[in-house]
């Protein structure tokens, strides 16, 4: 599902899942910051006379923007870092002075990681491994009991010390920092995710239901990238490349092999 | 500490603790609504195309108002119920159209409890047991997997089915509804709470440190109600009344018995 | 005028007229909800302790978005329904948590229509009849004294029970529901509409004035679709198709027939 | 009902009725500004490229503040005039830069009335006739087709040219200006008003029901001023003064004459 | 004028002057931060990718709150410090998450002063010298080129290194920090200040005009504290105390001495 | 630098410089309006009971939008004028009712200039002289002591009476109006500007550093328009045209001459 993609690059299912993950992030972080979550026992929101938690979000895409919105709503102090200045300008316009934005470079990154109570990894390069932006050394210089939530774990993680955890055992501590690296986090809100999935995918599913593949692809070409295997043949070029195998079925030019 | 009270009835420490509890509530609720929290697997915040959770807050005092703010920030659909129309008017002015307000009566209460995904008990009558507003029957008519967070458990609970739980074992299910009734919840954010406590209590503590009781009471009369026992004598009339014993030491008129 | 269209599909005059109609909608609805308007005698805005009216808007285009803004400003409880998830995501970003969004499907539609105090028809398919989304049966299940404002009446109406009314006699009651289906509603704010029209059309009119047709079309190609008849010949393909006649004058490729 | 008053001067029923009237005002004004309402055919809200209507509100009490909120929500350009600078400071804090405030003096009043598209009379002196702030001469200098909504008509009107109209025949034109002077406007939203009334008055009614007068007055002394005649004797000092008769029954000091 | 005071302690003229001074502060600071103002050449507002200036405001009274509002509007990062927790709670409610609040103690003060790009002294104890909160040592640890705007200079200054400057020569540099300590800053917006003054003082002036002192004092007792010398006799107890002389004319108990 | 341009016309460095200039504008204007700045002695922000300054911004591009944001934040009354209705619609959506928008025509322009306390010239046609929108006659009809800040002076000025001033001597008075026409204003916040410049230009500089021209142009084609002279040859067509000389080096089609 997540690979369905429209002509202009819009990936409807992936966008919905990223919205969900982003909006979960303040809850996850707030819970981990509590003593019972293993954290420093601080309140995400802050209080008159007590500063809120400092949140640093790596990535200003759909996931990062939704995370920013959710942390802003909680009253946290939010910094968003990305390599794309135009995207930062858009977030600045949208959130006005509720967030602080920084261009991604080594100096900014080191500084921001060091003051973060919560570090959110929201880097996503479609179809590729996430870049490892935060080194073990940077993690070592974080505050004791700080939190890393690495949503990029789905594509390998953007923090050197990240490794996948499970829904049952969600966190581990390394270098004094609590890591939360659960792949496919949207499963934690399964009902909301299934509504969102059907909302996003329905137009495409209807096309498949009525016309069956590959006919449906002519009505909804966005389906093409979402078909990984068709009649036992590899149909997705990125996956094929990753496996070192040829594309065996090509939807893009009608119905060829 | 919580009994320190100024002439106009303001209780600085209690207010700070209520602010913290209120602001924790969206994190607690968001976590409980997740599958891993035992809930229905829904996202508190909602999504384009998917409705947010419906939150009903009983009580529009400091705790209720801070809970409202925290749920509003998360994008939930918030209803606040109280018996005090002027307080509701104040919240309406403050939050504008972000919340819905209802006067407490049986009809409104039944209707609101029935549609709640999250019910927050934020009723507090200083020095008295909380009234039991939500009967077992109302709980029975709630949605399966709905959440009750009863902050009033500190003074007995405002839901008939509430009973105290512990930090270790925070919830139980009764009538198909998840109950979260942890007394003294601010302990979960111990560091923030200790800052807040010292912020709120410091002026009084300084007075005690410099002048010792009962001299300090002349400088900071608000301390009076906060002194339960002085030199082995009962000094707080409410506590004395509850124990059926006379007040043995009276600060209010200078230093008499 | 309304057919003037730029290369990217933007129709400047139509957009302005839709903005006006959308922004009128809270006034129209507020007036119809009053006893003197034939309605249930409820206040659109709500009050501390009294819920605001529930408004459901069908369509998230320019008209729907401006209606949403006008109802949000009044403090009503607003739900917007559309088939286009990306458009809903945009409104969600713009209005944040002031509105609720729903994807258009039969289940959502039935549910929303049933709880609406005000139902706004804001569906528009350029050059085509509006789809009839709300059946007579759905109308029958609406609240007694609810309001339908069907702006889509200009292109046939999106409610089965709609039929055009007049400025003099604006409403009728069917199935216990008040219908307001006045075509060309912007005539009710004639002065504002004429300013808006000249703002939107002026660049094109200036081009016509200086260069006369068809020369003006080379400067302002957006005019093309707005010329229905030129020198007695049918020049607009949609209108020609509707009449079952050939296009007799074609502006799109220079100045041919 | 409207005379029920608490010790600190708060009049719960009057406040609720003023909130309703204030929040109706944008709907009333928007409707009157339309051609079908007799107005200039302008849109209250304004539009990109077209200015919104200029609204001037006389009085910054409950009614005026709620009117300001309702017109701000509609996007109108709002000016509030009052003699009480502290109250203006409060509105300025609450609405921030959405409204403009002016101290009431002849110079400001003349200037504001002259540029108003909509003039709202929201002056109320409890128990006394409203002062006539706007002279016939000022009305004569208003724009042709401007609107006056004089809510003060209930206590005599604050505009020289006002005279009471009826729900059936709501407006008249004098000096080229449309006057809307319907007493007891909350009757137009009867259902909302009855909820609001019962919300505001219930605590007092319950006291009367259980204890009967004058016993109830001991529980709810706020009732006192609301009792005009008791056992055939005049009990309200203001009304007595207005009639030039003595108070025949005095609740304030127990139950004397 | 500034000493006019109502029964509840409200000082109308002083409040207006403090509002003006507070609202000027972002302009003053923005100008001083520019290279031409002698500052570090940074933009108060910040930019996508560039952090805004850090502003620390000492004092949460009228001046401090209005300064906070003006810096928030500019998009600066604002921290307000005060000894009064309830006042901080009020600002937190009003400005929501736009400002950070800190209780005044040595630890917080040192930390805040050290990270400030702009430090605003807004401490005012009516009729007494301002306390010196910021020592020379703290100033020494500020950033090079940081700005101090000490509005408290009118009552002696709240920074050890402050000394009065003039409108002509507004700043000096000490310990590498730019000091702006112009007494009576509202003179820089003389026209606005004179309107504000007449707005605030008019009711009292009218009373003096009509009844002359001391008769006016019976109508407007708030005038009392504002009369320093009457018929050549010292009438203000605070001023008398400061001069070590007896009060020669006492308005408070009618018209005695 | 300022000529670097991406395929879709986005000019990253120019955008950043325009953001800075726009956000400086409220500080500049606030300072000039003070008596010490030569102005009328009015407070930009306004006050309860005193109107804020009226600001008119010519141009709704990046500079104009950022100026609008900065003046809105200060609480001024802002009007934005542009010839592009769609851009005005976008600003209206973004700023909601905080600004007023007007389409540029002679009638609107004359009216707006006449009521402006501050007139901001923010007109920019990339690579061309700014149009002179405001005639000397319009300036003559402005208020005494009004302010003109002409950011368009960099490309010739959009006011007939503008002529370049210097950082040292920033203003002159003509027709009773204070003119501020400093070219390259971002130099006044040199540190912020240099961060912004490196943020915006870095990706392109890195490409040049690693690959040297013209190789870098293949990685970052946006650089092309930013290269004015390469190996002694004219490479920028606009500059060449302005000089009446041929382009001697053409990057756009690979690496030709």
């Amino acid at each position: 599902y997540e690979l369905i993609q429209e002509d202009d690059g819009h990936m409807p299912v992936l966008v919905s899942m990223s919205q969900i993950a982003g909006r979960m992030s303040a809850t996850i972080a707030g819970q981990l910051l509590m003593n019972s979550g293993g954290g420093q026992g601080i309140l995400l929101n802050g209080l008159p006379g007590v500063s809120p938690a400092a949140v640093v979000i790596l990535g200003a895409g759909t996931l990062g923007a939704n995370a920013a919105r959710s942390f802003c709503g909680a009253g946290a102090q939010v910094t968003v870092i990305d390599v794309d200045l135009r995207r930062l300008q858009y977030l600045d316009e949208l959130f006005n002075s509720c967030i602080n934005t920084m261009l991604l470079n080594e100096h900014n990154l080191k500084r921001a990681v060091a003051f973060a109570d919560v570090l959110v990894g929201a880097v996503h390069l479609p179809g590729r491994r996430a870049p490892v932006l935060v080194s073990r050394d940077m993690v070592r210089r974080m505050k004791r009991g700080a939190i890393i939530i690495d949503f990029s774990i789905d594509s390998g993680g953007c923090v050197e010390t990240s490794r996948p955890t499970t829904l049952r055992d969600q966190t581990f501590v390394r270098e004094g920092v609590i890591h939360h690296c659960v792949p496919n986090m949207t499963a934690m809100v399964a009902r909301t995710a299934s509504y969102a999935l059907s909302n996003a995918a329905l137009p495409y599913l209807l096309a498949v239901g009525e016309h069956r593949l590959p006919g449906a692809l002519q009505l909804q070409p966005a389906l093409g990238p979402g078909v990984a295997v068709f009649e036992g043949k590899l149909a997705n070029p990125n996956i094929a490349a990753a496996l070192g195998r040829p594309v065996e079925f090509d939807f893009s030019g009608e119905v060829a092999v």
Side-chain angles (χ1 to χ4, degrees), chain A:
Chain A
Y1 278 144
E2 302 207 349
L3 300 173
I4 296 176
Q5 182 171 9
E6 302 205 339
D7 266 4
D8 61 355
H10 182 69
M11 305 177 80
V13 174
L14 190 63
V15 162
S16 285
M17 294 304 117
S18 297
Q19 286 174 333
I20 293 177
R23 291 176 187 212
M24 295 169 74
S25 57
T27 293
I28 305 280
Q31 201 269 331
L32 294 175
L33 284 169
M34 291 179 185
N35 294 115
S36 56
Q40 316 169 55
I42 67 177
L43 182 66
L44 178 66
N45 313 49
L47 216 62
V50 184
S51 296
V55 177
V56 173
I57 300 172
L58 302 179
T62 300
L63 204 163
N66 280 274
R69 177 169 161 172
S70 123
F71 282 110
C72 280
Q77 176 197 327
V78 181
T79 302
V80 180
I81 304 185
D82 199 297
V83 72
D84 180 348
L85 186 59
R86 288 174 84 174
R87 182 71 190 172
L88 294 180
Q89 285 164 348
Y90 174 71
L91 291 197
D92 181 79
E93 218 167 48
L94 195 65
F95 291 106
N96 211 322
S97 57
C98 280
I99 63 167
N100 205 357
T101 55
M102 277 186 177
L103 203 70
L104 175 63
N105 58 42
E106 204 185 335
H107 172 256
N108 284 341
L109 191 61
K110 277 189 175 161
R111 193 156 61 93
V113 170
F115 71 63
D117 294 300
V118 178
L119 179 69
V120 177
V123 179
H124 184 75
L125 302 176
R128 289 165 48 192
R129 202 210 176 284
V132 177
L133 298 175
V134 179
S135 67
R136 175 181 297 268
D137 193 57
M138 290 186 202
V139 173
R140 200 173 288 140
R141 292 174 194 198
M142 289 179 74
K143 299 182 190 167
R144 296 267 111 184
I147 312 289
I148 292 175
I149 306 176
D150 192 348
F151 288 105
S152 308
I153 198 71
D154 284 330
S155 48
C158 66
V159 179
E160 192 179 344
T161 47
S162 293
R163 59 172 169 74
T165 54
T166 62
L167 279 176
R168 192 169 276 243
D169 201 6
Q170 302 189 0
T171 60
F172 61 91
V173 177
R174 194 151 302 173
E175 310 293 349
V177 171
I178 300 166
H179 290 63
H180 185 278
C181 313
V182 181
N184 187 21
M185 296 252 314
T186 54
M188 291 169 78
V189 290
R191 185 187 290 211
T192 294
S194 71
Y195 284 129
L197 180 63
S198 74
N199 278 351
L202 203 64
Y204 310 105
L205 296 186
L206 288 178
V208 174
E210 283 175 34
H211 301 84
R212 306 208 51 81
L213 284 171
L217 291 177
Q218 291 176 328
L219 281 173
Q220 290 284 7
L223 271 176
V227 181
V229 178
F230 179 64
E231 295 179 352
K233 294 175 186 161
L234 258 176
N236 181 296
N238 286 342
I239 295 177
L243 298 178
R245 289 172 53 185
V247 175
E248 297 160 324
F249 196 100
D250 178 10
F251 286 123
S252 62
E254 303 314 279
V255 202
V257 174

